[in-house]
Amino acid sequence: MKDENGRDVKLGLEEARRIMATDYCVRSDLALCGEFFNEYGMLPQEYIKEYGNESN
């Protein structure tokens, strides 16, 4: 299944969950959420909420 940007949802969910499992300070220092947003068009927690129930 593909998301609205044409990316694989399963891979996006894996990456989003990995980022969200990381400590907040580390996510902030490494700008992980911003990088995810640039790639997928939404923040990791939004991506999980949007696509989490459809594929997993």
Side-chain angles (χ1 to χ4, degrees):
M1 184 170 136
K2 302 285 184 185
D3 65 15
E4 59 193 36
N5 295 318
R7 302 212 181 264
D8 186 86
V9 169
K10 187 173 183 177
L11 294 175
L13 284 171
E14 287 176 12
E15 186 170 350
R17 289 180 176 135
R18 180 186 56 79
I19 289 170
M20 294 308 295
T22 304
D23 182 77
Y24 174 78
C25 293
V26 174
R27 284 194 317 246
S28 178
D29 288 347
L30 298 177
L32 296 175
C33 292
E35 288 181 22
F36 187 90
F37 184 86
N38 288 338
E39 180 127 357
Y40 290 93
M42 59 180 72
L43 295 172
Q45 60 269 35
E46 294 169 344
Y47 196 89
I48 292 169
K49 185 185 276 187
E50 176 90 19
Y51 296 107
N53 293 333
E54 295 177 10
S55 64
N56 291 23

